[in-house]
Amino acid sequence: MLDVPGGYSTIQQAVDMAAPGDVIRIAPGSYQESVRIRDGRDGITLEAADAGAVPTILGTPHKSADGIRVDEGRGVVLRNLRIAGAYDGVRLNHVAGAVVEHLVIENSALGIRINRGSDNVLVANHILGTRVEQGILVDGSPRVQLADNVVDSPAEEGIRVIRSAGALVRRNRVINAQSGNGISVSGSPGARVVESVVVASYRDGVRIRSSPGLVFAGNLAQDNGNVGIRIEKSPPFATVGDVLARGNAAVGNAGGAIIVEAQRCYASTCEGGTTLPTATTTTTTTVPSSSTTPSSTSTSTTLRQGPLVPTSWRFYVRVATTAGTPSNVLVPLRSGAAPVQVMIRGDQLAAFRIGDRVNADELVALGGDTLSRLTAAADLYLRTHSGDYPAFGSVIALRWAERVL
């Protein structure tokens, strides 16, 4: 067992001296550092020496320094810690079997990021406010488990899971996602989203896309700015009735209760011989009644491709820099500058509410060339306004696009 500051003056010194499986116990107090765990230190634990008086790792808000970053390895445990003002509060890169539990993460750019790896577990963490991105972001981590976490007032989605087969999202609570969905899951076959609550998100409460074998039960979406629950191309869910039959509820959402888009067919029939029209959505709005069983009305709308139409945008993009380290910037840089004009397909215009921030994965899901058109427009603006961006090169990726008047 290694003690901080008793045996080592900093957490990083203790990590550097730790052997696989060692426990590092951190005394109450504040530690101004960015902790990096790497070089095969499998199974080490960082935890509070006193769970009733947790230590605080203080980040530097305007630098790209994470509170705790783990690169590769297995079985790392982070427990009973507070992280404040870091870039990512916790970042796991290519890590397997990590356990992150009972952390409080405040005012980070992003709360907890899991990038690749597998079988990682996040339990009973509290993420309070993010400056730029999601509360929890999971990308390419099969069988991740997110349970009993609370995400309050993230800048984008509360919880976003992409490309993570078998993900479990259970008994989580997301409050006031400021510019995105509360819980978003996409490209994750066999995902399970159960017993979670999403309240007052700017966009949809819960949005699930392209995740066949989905288990979705006992969830509540309430008072969200757009649709309460939206499930797209994620069998076995093909109708609103499928959602309601599994004990899900959507109440007081500004854009309607539940939308389900069934799996599209690219042959003459779908499984079971049911033919579905291409690009058809089914919408249900819950209607109050005297009984405890909600009634509903359904409509179907077939979308047709239209001509290109002019639209106005602001972007947040990742760009190359002359220093060699990519950075994120706004386009236009100044809030008072005129927005960027882009021609997009008319049939996709309805997908963008004024003021919505739409991320790259959501643009990809729309199909067509809208993502490439927006990215190219951002890149051209950056190049033709080099005075605002003297140290930047080309756009690497579009993080979000916001449609404006």
Side-chain angles (χ1 to χ4, degrees):
M1 185 174 296
L2 292 75
D3 292 321
V4 178
Y8 301 89
S9 60
T10 68
I11 301 169
Q12 189 63 58
Q13 286 179 357
V15 167
D16 291 342
M17 294 302 297
D22 275 348
V23 175
I24 299 172
R25 303 193 67 190
I26 307 167
S30 297
Y31 301 82
Q32 183 84 54
E33 53 182 307
S34 176
V35 179
R36 190 87 175 263
I37 301 174
R38 51 188 172 183
D39 300 329
R41 287 178 169 80
D42 293 349
I44 72 168
T45 296
L46 267 63
E47 66 180 11
D50 179 358
V54 299
T56 298
I57 296 173
L58 294 172
T60 305
H62 301 294
K63 301 217 179 259
S64 297
D66 302 325
I68 300 176
R69 175 169 172 167
V70 185
D71 292 313
E72 301 185 343
R74 302 183 60 88
V76 170
V77 177
L78 309 176
R79 179 186 296 128
N80 293 324
L81 304 170
R82 177 175 176 263
I83 300 170
Y87 193 78
D88 289 357
V90 172
R91 182 191 300 237
L92 306 181
N93 283 332
H94 299 272
V95 174
V99 176
V100 180
E101 58 184 353
H102 297 284
L103 267 57
V104 175
I105 300 176
E106 300 178 31
N107 192 35
S108 58
L110 186 152
I112 300 175
R113 183 196 306 264
I114 301 179
N115 180 41
R116 304 298 187 266
S118 65
D119 302 287
N120 296 295
V121 178
L122 309 183
V123 177
N125 300 290
H126 190 168
I127 298 168
L128 180 59
T130 63
R131 302 191 307 276
V132 181
E133 299 183 72
Q134 295 82 10
I136 298 173
L137 173 60
V138 179
D139 185 353
S141 182
R143 299 175 300 281
V144 66
Q145 297 184 44
L146 315 178
D148 299 302
N149 301 288
V150 176
V151 181
D152 191 341
S153 301
E156 292 192 4
E157 298 100 332
I159 296 173
R160 182 180 176 198
V161 178
I162 55 177
R163 296 182 289 269
S164 299
L168 172 63
V169 181
R170 184 178 184 186
R171 291 194 308 268
N172 297 281
R173 183 176 179 87
V174 176
I175 307 162
N176 190 33
Q178 297 178 45
S179 66
N181 305 316
I183 295 176
S184 178
V185 177
S186 63
S188 301
R192 294 167 288 165
V193 181
V194 295
E195 301 172 11
S196 293
V197 175
V198 181
V199 178
S201 297
Y202 180 77
R203 300 186 68 196
D204 296 341
V206 181
R207 187 173 185 181
I208 314 292
R209 291 173 292 158
S210 304
S211 299
L214 173 68
V215 175
F216 188 80
N219 301 287
L220 171 63
Q222 181 173 341
D223 297 332
N224 296 287
N226 198 16
V227 176
I229 296 170
R230 188 191 301 263
I231 298 179
E232 302 163 291
K233 306 175 191 177
S234 299
F237 290 86
T239 70
V240 171
D242 294 337
V243 177
L244 294 173
R246 290 162 174 81
N248 301 289
V251 179
N253 300 285
I258 301 170
I259 292 179
V260 177
E261 179 183 339
Q263 181 76 45
R264 294 179 182 177
C265 301
Y266 296 96
S268 59
T269 60
C270 295
E271 293 182 12
T274 301
T275 302
L276 297 177
T278 301
T280 296
T281 65
T282 303
T283 306
T284 290
T285 301
T286 301
V287 180
S289 67
S290 58
S291 69
T292 57
T293 303
S295 59
S296 64
T297 58
S298 297
T299 61
S300 293
T301 304
T302 300
L303 305 177
R304 291 181 172 84
Q305 181 170 332
L308 295 177
V309 295
T311 53
S312 301
W313 300 85
R314 298 189 188 280
F315 306 107
Y316 188 63
V317 296
R318 191 158 185 81
V319 297
T321 69
T322 56
T325 303
S327 183
N328 298 321
V329 298
L330 291 167
V331 175
L333 183 63
R334 296 180 176 87
S335 59
V340 182
Q341 301 299 307
V342 188
M343 302 291 288
I344 69 167
R345 281 172 34 181
D347 62 300
Q348 296 196 344
L349 189 63
F352 308 106
R353 291 192 310 163
I354 300 298
D356 271 359
R357 290 181 178 178
V358 185
N359 61 48
D361 283 335
E362 291 171 321
L363 291 166
V364 168
L366 285 174
D369 62 353
T370 298
L371 174 60
S372 61
R373 284 178 174 275
L374 298 180
T375 304
D379 187 78
L380 178 62
Y381 185 96
L382 189 142
R383 292 174 182 276
T384 55
H385 293 74
S386 57
D388 288 342
Y389 306 97
F392 298 107
S394 60
V395 172
I396 298 171
L398 186 146
R399 306 303 295 269
W400 52 252
E402 177 185 1
R403 187 181 168 210
V404 298
L405 287 173

